[in-house]
Amino acid sequence: MSPRNNKPPAVVAELGRPETPEETAARKAENSANHRNRQTINNLVYSLLATLALVAVIVLIVPRGNPSATKPAVDYPSIAQQAQGSEPDALLVPKLPADWKSNNAELRTKTSDGVDSWYIGFVTPKQQFIGVTQGFKANDSWVSDQVNKSRIKDTRDIDGVTWDVYDNRTSSSDDGNVEYALTTTSGDSTIIVFGTADDAEFRTMASSLADQIHSLGGDK
C-alpha cells in the first residue's frame, strides 16, 4: 500500500499562512460577486451600444429635409377672396412665380393695438422669409412696432411705388425676421414687406404688389 498523501495546505502570500476554511469560503464568495458585477457592467455596456446602434439606424432611415419645403402651401388667394370687403381697402394678393410658397395667411382683427391687418408669410426660392402686412388706417406707432422700432435708412422706387427702407442687416441687435423692410402707404392701407431675403427677392415681391398698390389710391 502506498503512503497517504498528506500535502500541507498552501500558504497564502497575503496572509503568510494557509487559509482557514472560513477564509477560503469568503474568498470564493467575493470572487463570485466580482464576476457577477463584471457581467452586469458588461451587459449594461452591450445594452447601451445596442441602443445607440438602434438610434443611428433610425436617424439614417427617417427622411429629413426642410419642413417648409414639404408642408403644403397655403392658398392665400382663396383666403383673401373670402375676406374681401371686410376692410376699407382690397386685400393685396401678390402674384408670384410658382417657386414662392406661402406658409401662412390671415386677416388679423380685434387686435390689442386696434389696427386690423392682412398678413401673408412666404418662403422664397432661396429658402428665406418674406412677410407682407397690410394695415388698415394704421398709425405711426403701429408701423414702428412692425419694423421693430428701427429707423428709415433710405427710400427706394420699385415700379413706380416709393418705399421707405429699413435695413438692419449689419445691425448688432437681434431684429428677428425684420432684417430688411420696405414700407409704403396707399389709400387707407400701410403696406410693410419685411424679412430675411436679399434685395432681388424683395424687388420681386414689391413688383408683384405695385399695380394693386396703385389701384388703392396711389403711392405716397
Side-chain angles (χ1 to χ4, degrees):
M1 178 181 298
S2 61
R4 297 179 60 186
N5 183 11
N6 292 325
K7 184 177 180 181
V11 174
V12 177
E14 292 81 356
L15 299 175
R17 58 176 174 76
E19 285 181 327
T20 64
E22 292 79 6
E23 290 171 337
T24 300
R27 175 174 56 78
K28 291 181 178 180
E30 182 180 3
N31 289 342
S32 296
N34 290 338
H35 177 73
R36 288 194 299 273
N37 289 337
R38 285 193 296 271
Q39 289 297 104
T40 299
I41 293 173
N42 289 341
N43 290 338
L44 288 173
V45 171
Y46 295 146
S47 297
L48 178 60
L49 292 175
T51 301
L52 292 175
L54 179 60
V55 170
V57 170
I58 292 174
V59 169
L60 289 174
I61 65 175
V62 171
R64 297 182 302 280
N66 187 342
S68 62
T70 57
K71 185 178 178 180
V74 173
D75 186 4
Y76 64 92
S78 295
I79 297 173
Q81 184 176 14
Q82 294 170 12
Q84 292 289 10
S86 60
E87 299 295 342
D89 283 338
L91 274 57
L92 299 178
V93 181
K95 295 178 175 59
L96 296 160
D99 50 357
W100 287 69
K101 305 296 183 184
S102 174
N103 57 14
N104 191 17
E106 57 182 330
L107 181 62
R108 297 168 174 172
T109 61
K110 299 180 180 179
T111 58
S112 59
D113 53 26
V115 177
D116 289 1
S117 62
W118 164 236
Y119 167 78
I120 319 172
F122 291 92
V123 178
T124 74
K126 296 179 182 178
Q127 298 302 299
Q128 295 299 312
F129 165 76
I130 287 185
V132 177
T133 299
Q134 178 184 6
F136 303 100
K137 297 183 178 180
N139 51 45
D140 291 342
S141 176
W142 180 85
V143 174
S144 179
D145 288 342
Q146 300 307 305
V147 297
N148 283 349
K149 295 181 170 55
S150 52
R151 295 177 179 273
I152 297 172
K153 299 291 180 64
D154 200 355
T155 59
R156 184 177 180 187
D157 184 279
I158 301 175
D159 292 349
V161 177
T162 301
W163 299 86
D164 289 332
V165 177
Y166 299 79
D167 190 349
N168 302 310
R169 290 165 176 162
T170 60
S171 172
S172 58
S173 61
D174 182 8
D175 292 293
N177 284 330
V178 191
E179 289 184 7
Y180 189 87
L182 302 170
T183 69
T184 193
T185 58
S186 184
D188 286 322
S189 296
T190 299
I191 301 96
I192 301 177
V193 180
F194 65 98
T196 61
D198 61 19
D199 286 359
E201 290 186 323
F202 269 96
R203 173 173 282 277
T204 298
M205 176 60 76
S207 294
S208 76
L209 296 169
D211 288 344
Q212 296 176 66
I213 290 173
H214 287 307
S215 70
L216 295 177
D219 63 340
K220 62 182 181 179

